[in-house]
Amino acid sequence: MINSDKLLTIKEAALYLKVHWQTIRNYIKNGDITAIKFGHNVRIHQSELDRFVANQEPVSEEITIELRYKCTDLITIENILIKIGSKLLYNGELTDHWYVPNDINDSTHTSIWFETGKGQGVRIREQRIGYKDSIITTLGVKRLAEPYKKETTLEKEIAVDDYENTHSLLTLMSFKEFVTIVKTRKLYSYEQFEITIDMIRDFESGLEVKTTSVISGLEAKDRIRKFINRSGLDKYLEETEMSVSSLAMRNFAKY
């Protein structure tokens, strides 16, 4: 059993409560959870999380809602985000290795497997922060909360040692890597929204706005669209069904 006095990072706290990491930040911001700061680092006592859980009424499962956009002017978009007070949380390079079962051999079968809710997106991510040489590696799984509704997903991510060992594990489980996407990512936070700008190597750029909620998906999407219009970003964005990462996956996939 984990010691109740153990200090947890934001992501460790999110895994402990089984929520998105941005939800933990919102809890801290709203005073629901007390955190401790060590310079720029934030830590939370596990006992504080236990206290928070004990005081909560049962709630519905939290879902992630995201809307995707094509970008026409990245410089102006970033200037708007900075002007309205968005906080830059991450700026670095990501290498995403995506996997499907061995018996899937084309993009049509991949789409059916994922969009019907029968399967899930499985990804090993290698993350470089700024100009640092160190790499953080994670294993992530994403599936649709409801079949064919791409904007509502259930997501989990855990830290792993490295790409090679995790790749071997997935291979043993009869999964194969079918595409690798390299991108530069900037991640902003504004109110309850997470805004991601992806610039994919040898491809295009796109933006996603994500929020977590226990309200209906329609209400959450309406909340995102109102934010886009209110901020003035709508003049430089075009809403699309597929993210730029998904389009790149189709373009570069090799089965």
Side-chain angles (χ1 to χ4, degrees):
M1 180 177 292
I2 300 177
N3 190 305
S4 61
D5 289 331
K6 182 177 180 182
L7 286 171
L8 304 177
T9 65
I10 294 288
K11 286 194 173 182
E12 288 171 338
L15 289 172
Y16 187 72
L17 294 187
K18 298 181 180 179
V19 298
H20 193 271
W21 63 267
Q22 187 60 47
T23 301
I24 299 294
R25 288 188 178 274
N26 291 338
Y27 286 154
I28 295 171
K29 180 180 178 181
N30 296 334
D32 299 319
I33 289 177
T34 300
I36 303 170
K37 281 193 173 182
F38 298 96
H40 296 293
N41 297 317
V42 176
R43 297 291 184 269
I44 305 165
H45 277 290
Q46 185 174 310
S47 57
E48 170 65 8
L49 298 180
D50 292 334
R51 178 204 63 77
F52 173 76
V53 171
N55 292 334
Q56 297 303 299
E57 295 292 332
V59 296
S60 303
E61 184 173 19
E62 193 172 64
I63 59 173
T64 300
I65 299 93
E66 61 184 17
L67 293 181
R68 309 162 184 90
Y69 298 88
K70 287 183 178 179
C71 302
T72 58
D73 188 340
L74 284 178
I75 294 177
T76 301
I77 288 170
E78 287 199 72
N79 285 337
I80 290 174
L81 290 174
I82 294 169
K83 184 177 180 180
I84 65 176
S86 300
K87 182 179 180 181
L88 181 64
L89 301 178
Y90 174 79
N91 180 14
E93 184 180 277
L94 303 176
T95 301
D96 287 342
H97 308 267
W98 287 94
Y99 292 77
V100 290
N102 287 339
D103 58 356
I104 291 181
N105 295 309
D106 56 52
S107 59
T108 299
H109 289 151
T110 301
S111 296
I112 293 173
W113 182 70
F114 182 72
E115 293 173 15
T116 57
K118 295 179 180 178
Q120 61 281 324
V122 179
R123 177 201 66 210
I124 300 174
R125 168 168 287 171
E126 297 177 286
Q127 173 180 323
R128 288 181 174 85
I129 300 177
Y131 298 101
K132 295 181 180 179
D133 293 330
S134 60
I135 297 176
I136 299 172
T137 308
T138 58
L139 174 64
V141 177
K142 175 192 290 190
R143 70 181 309 133
L144 299 185
E146 297 182 57
Y148 303 105
K149 293 187 177 181
K150 297 179 182 179
E151 68 278 0
T152 57
T153 59
L154 301 172
E155 303 179 33
K156 296 294 179 184
E157 188 171 24
I158 61 171
V160 293
D161 289 339
D162 54 42
Y163 163 75
E164 288 77 12
N165 284 320
T166 312
H167 173 82
S168 297
L169 174 65
L170 291 174
T171 301
L172 189 63
M173 296 170 64
S174 299
F175 278 79
K176 63 183 177 183
E177 183 175 350
F178 74 102
V179 67
T180 300
I181 302 294
V182 181
K183 54 192 173 186
T184 299
R185 167 167 289 183
K186 291 186 178 181
L187 177 64
Y188 289 88
S189 174
Y190 179 74
E191 295 180 348
Q192 72 270 41
F193 304 109
E194 180 183 297
I195 303 117
T196 303
I197 298 174
D198 281 336
M199 294 157 277
I200 297 180
R201 183 182 297 177
D202 301 323
F203 199 62
E204 302 172 359
S205 298
L207 179 144
E208 296 182 14
V209 183
K210 180 185 297 184
T211 187
T212 55
S213 178
V214 295
I215 65 175
S216 75
L218 288 176
E219 289 182 55
K221 286 191 288 183
D222 183 59
R223 184 187 296 169
I224 293 174
R225 292 187 178 111
K226 285 181 178 178
F227 157 67
I228 293 294
N229 293 333
R230 185 176 69 248
S231 64
L233 289 168
D234 58 306
K235 299 180 181 65
Y236 308 96
L237 298 175
E238 177 187 347
E239 188 174 329
T240 60
E241 181 181 355
M242 296 181 66
S243 68
V244 66
S245 294
S246 296
L247 293 171
M249 287 168 67
R250 284 193 174 186
N251 187 70
F252 297 122
K254 293 182 180 180
Y255 294 91

